Amino acid sequence: MSTTEIDRQWTTRLRQRATGKLPPEKLLPDTQPTYVASWIYVFGVATLAALIMVIVTGCILAIRGPLWWHGSVYGHFVNSLHLWSVEIFFFTMIVHLWGKFFMAAWRGGRTLTWMTGVVTFLASIATAFTGYASQTNFDSQWITTQAKDGINATGAGAYFNVLNLGQMLMWHIVLLPLAAVVLTALHVLLVRVKGVVPPFAEKVEVHS
Amino acid sequence: MAFFTALGALVPLDHFGHYFHWHFIYLSLSNLIIILLMIATFLAAILAPFPGRKSRKEHQ
Ligand code: HEM
């Protein structure tokens, strides 16, 4: 194979594009600008940590099943860890969102970072909702019977039937978490590609 | 355990939740508490000194 042929291969092109946009020292940097030394920058990573905890506890729940999480002390404990990690996930995500909103962190070509955040937020709400619908207890019965009228009124009920437990469980443990994790990965990679947004320039008063 | 029993007595869980209703805003007490905690956390994150960060004066 000639070098030009090698250069034309999709593997070569993809690698060059990826390493050009995100060289290792940019992907895992050693230092950050001084303005990043503030608690408000901790909330993105705190959200990420909560998300990891949600996924890990969710996997344990999936392995053991509803009889276990309803019927055993350890099952209750892991179920509670799953719920409380979700609470912390949303709490830290909203503080993160406010932080980025007030520093207008979409400046300087960071629109996609902001927009992946927005879509992740929406996907997370849908994941939480289908989670409440999948509890298999009186709570989930109440929630789904209340929600069905709202969703049927939009016409989406034919495709997204909240009374169909199997469908809700699949959305909750396959499709939506996959979407949330992929979107989060994209979001964090975009932060790495663009670097952390600089703060607003300070107003300098000029005395004449 | 005694702590949780005391907490349970403070927050009666076998009653209907408390709700606030201002115009179109309808909010449970528990959700209001969470919102206030988020605002407090946000302010603390902006105002609390970050360990290891030099103050502006030290920079000059
Ligand atoms: C699954 C939820 C989320 C995770 C795990 C996450 C994670 C992160 C992390 C680790 C960072 C870099 C560190 C930091 O500045 O805090 C970041 C930055 C950012 N996030 Fe999020 N985020 C999430 C949701 C959101 C949402 C809902 C928004 C807004 C709608 C958002 C907007 C941004 C923006 C604009 C930046 C770039 C800031 C900059 O360039 O300085 N994120 N995110």
Side-chain angles (χ1 to χ4, degrees):
Chain A
M1 234 193 294
S2 68
T3 25
T4 45
E5 258 180 288
I6 290 179
D7 284 345
R8 273 215 310 270
Q9 284 187 129
W10 71 267
T11 46
T12 317
R13 280 181 288 134
L14 185 65
R15 185 187 62 245
Q16 279 168 351
R17 264 194 78 177
T19 48
K21 275 220 152 165
L22 210 59
E25 61 278 7
K26 232 173 147 183
L27 182 63
L28 287 173
D30 309 312
T31 55
Q32 286 290 334
T34 31
Y35 54 79
V36 176
S38 156
W39 285 109
I40 197 66
Y41 288 96
V42 173
F43 282 84
V45 175
T47 314
L48 200 59
L51 178 62
I52 291 170
M53 196 66 188
V54 171
I55 303 282
V56 169
T57 51
C59 288
I60 301 174
L61 291 174
I63 292 167
R64 304 301 298 264
L67 285 180
W68 176 76
W69 80 62
H70 284 311
S72 75
V73 176
Y74 185 41
H76 276 304
F77 178 68
V78 176
N79 196 162
S80 299
L81 276 183
H82 190 65
L83 172 78
W84 285 105
S85 310
V86 171
E87 303 282 337
I88 294 170
F89 171 72
F90 275 97
F91 192 106
T92 48
M93 178 163 36
I94 287 167
V95 175
H96 173 67
L97 190 164
W98 286 344
K100 298 308 161 192
F101 177 77
F102 285 111
M103 62 177 100
W106 51 78
R107 283 173 294 142
R110 290 175 182 79
T111 315
L112 255 187
T113 316
W114 174 262
M115 285 320 294
T116 47
V118 172
V119 183
T120 314
F121 190 30
L122 296 179
S124 308
I125 292 171
T127 317
F129 172 68
T130 52
Y132 286 121
S134 308
Q135 290 175 100
T136 61
N137 58 14
F138 286 129
D139 217 13
S140 58
Q141 283 186 18
W142 170 259
I143 291 166
T144 48
T145 47
Q146 294 302 301
K148 76 178 194 319
D149 296 333
I151 288 178
N152 288 346
T154 68
Y159 305 96
F160 188 81
N161 175 4
V162 290
L163 295 183
N164 182 345
L165 173 64
Q167 192 189 22
M168 287 306 108
L169 186 64
M170 290 304 175
W171 275 102
H172 182 67
I173 67 175
V174 182
L175 301 173
L176 289 167
L178 188 69
V181 167
V182 169
L183 285 165
T184 303
L186 253 175
H187 182 71
V188 176
L189 285 179
L190 278 166
V191 176
R192 289 279 80 110
V193 170
K194 292 284 173 186
V196 182
V197 73
F200 288 110
E202 273 187 77
K203 277 210 183 101
V204 183
E205 283 196 27
V206 183
H207 297 279
S208 52
Chain B
M1 212 51 219
F3 169 75
F4 291 110
T5 315
L7 197 69
L10 266 178
V11 187
L13 293 173
D14 55 347
H15 291 167
F16 288 116
H18 196 78
Y19 281 82
F20 297 97
H21 202 165
W22 301 289
H23 302 281
F24 61 92
I25 297 172
Y26 191 59
L27 206 60
S28 70
L29 174 63
S30 36
N31 280 346
L32 182 68
I33 292 173
I34 300 286
I35 291 168
L36 293 177
L37 279 176
M38 285 193 299
I39 293 173
T41 309
F42 178 72
L43 292 177
I46 288 174
L47 299 175
F50 192 78
R53 183 183 179 134
K54 291 194 189 110
S55 72
R56 266 162 214 239
K57 282 196 188 112
E58 281 171 75
H59 271 302
Q60 284 159 5

